[in-house]
Amino acid sequence: MNQHHFAFFDEGSKKEIRRTILKAVAIPGYQVPFSSREMPIARGWGTGGLQITLSIIGREDCLKVIDQGSDESVNAVSIKKLVHNTTSVEITERTQEATIIQSRHRIPEIPLQGGQILVLQVPTPEPLRQVEPREYMTKILHSEEEYSGAWLQLFEQIMKYGRTATGADHPVYVNSRYVMAPSPIPRFDNVKMNESDALILLGAGREKKIYAIPPYTDVQSLAFEDYPFAVEEFSGKSCRFCGATDVFLDEVLDSATGDVHYQCNDTSYCLEQLNSHEKAKEESSYA
Amino acid sequence: MHNDAILSVKNLEKQFGPGCSTCHNESTRKLEKNYCPQCGTVYACRNISFNLFPGEILGIVGESGSGKSTLMQCLYFDEAATSGELILNNQEFQEENVLELSSQQKRYIRNYHFGMVYQNPLKGLKMDFSAMGNIAEKLIAAGGRNVAEMESIGKTLLEKVHIPLFRMKEEPKRFSGGMQQRVQIAKALSNNPPILFLDEVTTGLDLSVQASVLDLIKTIQRELGISMIVVSHDLAVIRMLADRTLVMLNGEIIEEGLTDQILEDPQNPYTQQLVYSLL
Ligand SMILES: Nc1ncnc2c1ncn2[C@@H]1O[C@H](COP(=O)(O)OP(=O)(O)OP(=O)(O)O)[C@@H](O)[C@H]1O
Ligand SMILES: [Mg+2]
Ligand SMILES: [Zn+2]
């Protein structure tokens, strides 16, 4: 482990990962293999995303890291520490300030902007893996655009549950060519990938794959004609702290009273909403 | 191609192994059964030519290892034939050797024009998916994107093959061997293929179950007029189903003709042996 390199990796490693990223951007939704490196955090804890972040970050960048909507989880904190210790770049919790946002399981509520890069951590990059265990076969299926297997999985869910039951990681068609696993984000976030202003990079460390959605790419969630794609339903519910209604809400059970509450999953968004409410209240009381 | 044939095979060859200087050339080749003792290359199908006519059931009979399954798999594009031609009487691929098409085009033919029932149901079915899902897989591959439509086709077919509808969401791994073959048949029929390949559909089944599956195949052929190639090592199956029959031995066709004729008056000594042992 060399502490003298900027962003942990030597220049050669960073260049190689950047080349992989360029190829991924050139072929939206296509999984590009890369030689995933050993990292001082365990594989399966975001090493794929981290390798992308470290190879694209520059001194003037500002980084935000979230894990399941939280900036303060142990995992997010240890990734931030590693990046900060080796780059000294600025760290933020505000989505709109960040130039790079590394995330696991969520796309932030605040709409991403042009120039920003979202880096998603991916555990299982292959959307066809469940129907085809062999890697050389899934490669052929992608090359022939043969996605019956992905559709079949959705069909089975409808047979079993009466609807497509993908809790997360609902497959998407990218640029009308490749079917892609969007990583375990809720369906609520799938729609944010379509025509995104920001560049989206996805990294799977254990599976050694990088793939990408360049800005303004068509991204459609797979759905049958008579079972249209639907995001998680929160109608009539709002965040118990900030009152937000058009966001992804977590359900929390109050074990004392048995009541069910809802709150923003994206905690920094929630905090910001609260602050701006406070500010508005103050301003109106001064007026 | 024979004018009336729906499918024509010409000089189809399939070898496993690279061959050697002695066996490369057919005239110097000295095979033991179907393989070269010098290099171990297996000549599983040799110079196979035949026609399949609309609405007929063509039987292929032969002992274990004679190359029947290999031939089926070459026709269904599961295996790449070493050489030879396969021609379909089909507007889209008129006069073309479809063995030389891209794998995407082959997949298209498989999904829209062929049905296959494998000797081993593990090969033809996804055992962890529902029976209905297995049928839908073929429909999805042929462009199906409407769940209700596919479900209704699936139900009709399951009824046709006598699988009770209350079991349609169960996985085939929980079905008996006979039921699994029936699901395979339903799946193979789902896209209304003009041509159906059946490889040892009744092998390993109880006699009474065999009879009902054979009955089913007969009924389907009568009702839908599908052309079929039925492979079996069992002459009784061939006698019951096939209008015409090819006899294979060591990768070659050694006799062909009307099934009745072959059974009553076999010409080839091997066929004679086969027929008389059955009597
Ligand atoms: N993948 C393979 N590699 C090498 N040899 C093979 C392969 N598949 C089949 N063979 C050989 O090809 C020959 C024909 O086999 P095939 O399975 O087609 O026979 P079959 O007539 O279907 O027999 P059965 O009645 O037992 O099903 C056999 O000698 C077999 O060992
Ligand atoms: Mg066989
Ligand atoms: Zn040889």
Side-chain angles (χ1 to χ4, degrees):
Chain A
M1 215 160 300
N2 195 327
Q3 295 298 324
H4 305 296
H5 291 299
F6 176 80
F8 187 75
F9 290 136
D10 60 87
E11 291 309 305
S13 298
K14 279 186 280 197
K15 272 186 193 160
E16 196 197 318
I17 296 170
R18 284 180 209 142
R19 272 197 294 271
T20 309
I21 294 171
L22 284 175
K23 182 166 178 185
V25 170
I27 318 170
Y30 174 77
Q31 302 165 52
V32 186
F34 79 115
S35 50
S36 184
R37 283 152 178 80
E38 290 301 325
M39 300 293 300
I41 58 172
R43 277 191 182 168
W45 290 96
T47 56
L50 185 55
Q51 290 177 75
I52 292 177
T53 299
L54 289 171
S55 65
I56 60 172
I57 203 160
R59 292 184 202 282
E60 67 293 349
D61 272 310
C62 176
L63 178 72
K64 171 182 166 78
V65 180
I66 35 173
D67 186 348
Q68 283 183 296
S70 161
D71 296 72
E72 280 130 41
S73 84
V74 180
N75 195 28
V77 169
S78 64
I79 289 174
K80 279 190 273 198
K81 239 189 225 154
L82 177 73
V83 178
H84 183 75
N85 288 347
T86 57
T87 62
S88 312
V89 300
E90 200 185 328
I91 306 286
T92 184
E93 296 198 353
R94 301 191 65 218
T95 299
Q96 55 275 46
E97 274 173 7
T99 54
I100 300 172
I101 300 153
Q102 180 173 336
S103 172
R104 170 173 174 263
H105 291 195
R106 278 311 307 277
I107 297 178
E109 301 294 0
I110 292 180
L112 300 181
Q113 304 151 22
Q116 286 186 312
I117 299 176
L118 174 68
V119 178
L120 287 169
Q121 298 168 204
V122 183
T124 40
E126 180 48 70
L128 299 171
R129 187 58 71 227
Q130 244 178 302
V131 278
E132 179 48 71
R134 295 163 296 180
E135 172 74 10
Y136 79 93
M137 276 304 296
T138 51
K139 267 197 152 147
I140 292 173
L141 295 174
H142 282 290
S143 74
E144 293 180 8
E145 203 177 343
E146 169 46 53
Y147 291 124
S148 305
W151 290 98
L152 179 59
Q153 275 172 274
L154 297 183
F155 183 92
E156 275 294 280
Q157 290 166 2
I158 293 170
M159 285 300 106
K160 284 206 177 106
Y161 311 107
R163 61 187 168 83
T164 54
T166 40
D169 215 356
H170 185 103
V172 292
Y173 231 111
V174 178
N175 199 24
S176 308
R177 176 58 185 85
Y178 287 99
V179 166
M180 185 194 95
S183 86
I185 55 174
R187 280 171 283 135
F188 189 87
D189 288 347
N190 273 25
V191 288
K192 298 177 188 168
M193 287 188 158
N194 186 35
E195 298 292 327
S196 159
D197 293 321
L199 167 64
I200 304 172
L201 301 175
L202 302 98
R206 199 180 37 212
E207 305 273 334
K208 304 182 175 162
K209 294 284 171 55
I210 286 174
Y211 48 106
I213 301 172
Y216 313 112
T217 302
D218 185 67
V219 178
Q220 298 300 329
S221 301
L222 264 57
F224 288 106
E225 290 162 7
D226 49 345
Y227 284 81
F229 176 77
V231 301
E232 291 81 359
E233 181 61 65
F234 301 110
S235 67
K237 291 155 193 148
S238 58
C239 175
R240 62 167 160 168
F241 301 122
C242 74
T245 53
D246 48 357
V247 295
F248 189 81
L249 295 170
D250 283 337
E251 215 180 77
V252 276
L253 185 74
D254 188 327
S255 54
T257 63
D259 291 345
V260 174
H261 296 290
Y262 293 90
Q263 62 192 51
C264 286
N265 168 272
D266 183 340
T267 49
S268 78
Y269 174 82
C270 191
L271 207 65
E272 211 158 290
Q273 293 296 106
L274 281 172
N275 288 342
S276 71
H277 293 175
E278 284 296 311
K279 216 167 149 197
K281 242 191 259 168
E282 268 171 40
E283 274 164 12
S284 66
S285 68
Y286 282 128
Chain B
M1 161 167 205
H2 196 290
N3 283 342
D4 315 326
I6 186 168
L7 173 153
S8 275
V9 177
K10 278 188 210 152
N11 312 112
L12 186 141
E13 305 264 341
K14 175 62 184 179
Q15 70 187 63
F16 294 102
C20 65
S21 51
T22 41
C23 71
H24 254 307
N25 193 325
E26 226 179 304
S27 55
T28 59
R29 203 181 271 172
K30 283 202 174 59
L31 300 186
E32 246 168 60
K33 294 200 117 192
N34 65 357
Y35 78 97
C36 170
Q38 307 272 326
C39 68
T41 293
V42 175
Y43 290 83
C45 295
R46 293 192 276 157
N47 201 22
I48 303 287
S49 299
F50 65 86
N51 292 308
L52 176 69
F53 296 101
E56 82 166 333
I57 300 187
L58 178 68
I60 299 182
V61 71
E63 64 185 31
S64 185
S66 57
K68 308 179 298 292
S69 293
T70 305
L71 175 58
M72 287 300 101
Q73 278 158 25
C74 288
L75 300 182
Y76 197 60
F77 311 119
D78 280 335
E79 288 278 0
T82 308
S83 63
E85 287 179 37
L86 172 59
I87 291 166
L88 303 177
N89 186 4
N90 175 299
Q91 301 261 313
E92 289 164 87
F93 303 102
Q94 204 79 49
E95 305 297 322
E96 259 186 286
N97 178 9
V98 298
L99 293 178
E100 282 169 4
L101 297 177
S102 73
S103 58
Q104 238 162 333
Q105 287 172 303
K106 286 177 181 167
R107 201 186 285 281
Y108 171 83
I109 292 175
R110 239 158 86 122
N111 291 338
Y112 288 83
H113 298 291
F114 290 166
M116 170 68 123
V117 178
Y118 289 93
Q119 180 165 4
N120 183 349
L122 277 176
K123 241 189 140 175
L125 296 177
K126 288 198 158 56
M127 289 296 170
D128 295 329
F129 283 72
S130 66
M132 183 57 86
N134 272 283
I135 295 171
E137 185 183 19
K138 185 105 183 165
L139 292 165
I140 288 168
R145 294 292 179 266
N146 188 295
V147 174
E149 272 170 27
M150 292 190 282
E151 206 178 344
S152 119
I153 293 171
K155 281 181 180 165
T156 309
L157 287 168
L158 286 174
E159 269 178 336
K160 195 179 246 4
V161 301
H162 312 298
I163 302 272
L165 287 189
F166 72 87
R167 303 198 65 176
M168 70 180 192
K169 293 184 182 175
E170 275 182 51
E171 297 141 11
K173 67 178 173 200
R174 291 161 57 177
F175 290 174
S176 68
M179 284 176 80
Q180 290 177 351
Q181 291 308 55
R182 284 177 216 276
V183 176
Q184 273 212 84
I185 293 171
K187 175 180 180 175
L189 290 173
S190 61
N191 55 353
N192 265 319
I195 298 169
L196 190 59
F197 304 116
L198 299 135
D199 190 0
E200 308 270 4
V201 265
T202 57
T203 306
L205 302 180
D206 288 347
L207 278 182
S208 63
V209 183
Q210 275 194 25
S212 77
V213 172
L214 293 176
D215 247 8
L216 172 66
I217 293 168
K218 264 281 189 220
T219 313
I220 287 167
Q221 197 272 334
R222 253 200 320 271
E223 283 177 5
L224 307 176
I226 298 176
S227 313
M228 300 187 191
I229 300 182
V230 174
V231 159
S232 180
H233 65 272
D234 185 350
L235 263 182
V237 170
I238 296 295
R239 167 152 59 190
M240 187 174 159
L241 292 179
D243 308 307
R244 285 192 310 129
T245 294
L246 313 177
V247 183
M248 282 184 77
L249 180 64
N250 299 333
E252 291 179 301
I253 296 176
I254 54 161
E255 182 155 4
E256 63 176 298
L258 296 174
T259 307
D260 292 344
Q261 246 165 38
I262 287 183
L263 289 173
E264 268 160 38
D265 185 19
Q267 301 297 308
N268 186 289
Y270 173 80
T271 319
Q272 288 168 357
Q273 207 185 332
L274 205 66
V275 171
Y276 298 143
S277 69
L278 177 78
L279 297 177

